[in-house]
Amino acid sequence: MAWIRALLAILLVLAVLVAGLCFGLHAYGASDLPDDLEPNRYRASSDLRALYLAVEADGIDDAPRLNPVSVWGYWLWHFSGGQRERLGAQLRLLGHAGHSLVARQEAPQAGAARWHLTNLAATIHVSRQWRLDRMVDTVLAESGFGRNATGIEQAAQAWYGHPLDELVAEERLLLIALLKGPSYYDPACHPDRFAERYRWAIAQVGWSDPDAALARARARLRALPCPAPAPTPTIP
């Protein structure tokens, strides 16, 4: 029938236009990516990677390969309420790895829309070019852990005053738990808030004695003063 052929032709044109728009937006965002697109050379131990994946990505062992068209569908699904499903965990890891890549760019992008497009381009890149273990290594090596520490090796010294390889599992878990918000969950300045976060992390890794684990994680923490609270503005 003529009307069916016309409808199919219209749908085909629309599909081509949508795909062209997606690839154009991807090229625009990718133009702000840093020159260094390789994963970090840091190599975490297998048990440290497992701790990170258990807490931040539900223990996944793979991630989807995205493209400039499919990424929009994946993220729309993700933000519609699928964050706790397996694909949500995969996208969360890809997002963290992509954000680490974008953070290497010294010059800030102009505008929130451009920043988001650059992050999407970075997410697509890492999904297609980086192995999952390299994604985890890069996040652990380049993320901020509070106390002016970048990377988990510096974080071990900043929080415990010891090299990472001298920390016990409970202490390493504390550092990973802090990744979500080092200042917000600071165990010294916000002990109750941190305890709730740490107990949640313990549940993710499946340890049986959260009280003992929490006590062991806190035992060797370096005591540093908390930052002074911001003054409350006075109303004239």
Side-chain angles (χ1 to χ4, degrees):
M1 296 180 185
W3 71 270
I4 294 180
R5 290 195 296 271
L7 178 60
L8 290 176
I10 292 172
L11 292 176
L12 178 60
V13 170
L14 287 175
V16 171
L17 289 175
V18 169
L21 176 62
C22 291
F23 275 88
L25 291 173
H26 173 261
Y28 182 67
S31 66
D32 276 335
L33 289 177
D35 294 332
D36 181 8
L37 297 176
E38 296 300 314
N40 196 283
R41 294 182 179 180
Y42 176 69
R43 295 295 180 264
S45 62
S46 58
D47 61 328
L48 184 62
R49 286 194 202 110
L51 279 179
Y52 174 85
L53 287 170
V55 173
E56 293 292 338
D58 296 341
I60 60 171
D61 55 9
D62 63 1
R65 288 165 59 90
L66 307 177
N67 63 56
V69 178
S70 68
V71 68
W72 295 98
Y74 277 119
W75 284 106
L76 285 173
W77 172 90
H78 179 62
F79 289 114
S80 69
Q83 295 93 334
R84 295 189 178 277
E85 299 180 23
R86 177 179 176 81
L87 180 57
Q90 293 171 325
L91 293 175
R92 193 158 59 246
L93 174 60
L94 290 175
H96 290 166
H99 182 71
S100 294
L101 186 58
V102 172
R104 296 175 183 175
Q105 186 63 281
E106 294 182 2
Q109 294 82 7
R114 187 166 184 173
W115 182 85
H116 285 295
L117 289 175
T118 303
N119 270 275
L120 284 177
T123 300
I124 293 170
H125 176 82
V126 301
S127 78
R128 302 185 70 83
Q129 302 297 331
W130 295 7
R131 299 201 317 262
L132 185 137
D133 57 345
R134 297 287 82 86
M135 296 178 198
V136 176
D137 292 346
T138 301
V139 172
L140 290 174
E142 300 185 12
S143 295
F145 286 79
R147 294 190 176 182
N148 297 316
T150 298
I152 197 165
E153 297 283 347
Q154 287 187 15
Q157 293 286 357
W159 288 95
Y160 288 103
H162 294 281
L164 182 65
D165 59 8
E166 292 182 5
L167 302 190
V168 297
E170 292 84 354
E171 293 169 335
R172 295 183 178 201
L173 182 63
L174 180 145
L175 298 179
I176 291 172
L178 285 176
L179 270 174
K180 188 174 182 180
S183 298
Y184 186 83
Y185 292 108
D186 187 316
C189 304
H190 307 288
D192 294 338
R193 189 183 294 167
F194 170 76
E196 182 178 358
R197 169 68 177 165
Y198 193 79
R199 290 177 185 278
W200 179 87
I202 289 173
Q204 298 302 110
V205 299
W207 293 348
S208 59
D209 193 342
D211 291 333
L214 180 58
R216 196 171 188 189
R218 284 173 159 168
R220 296 199 297 172
L221 276 174
R222 293 178 62 202
L224 292 177
C226 297
T232 303
T234 58
I235 301 176

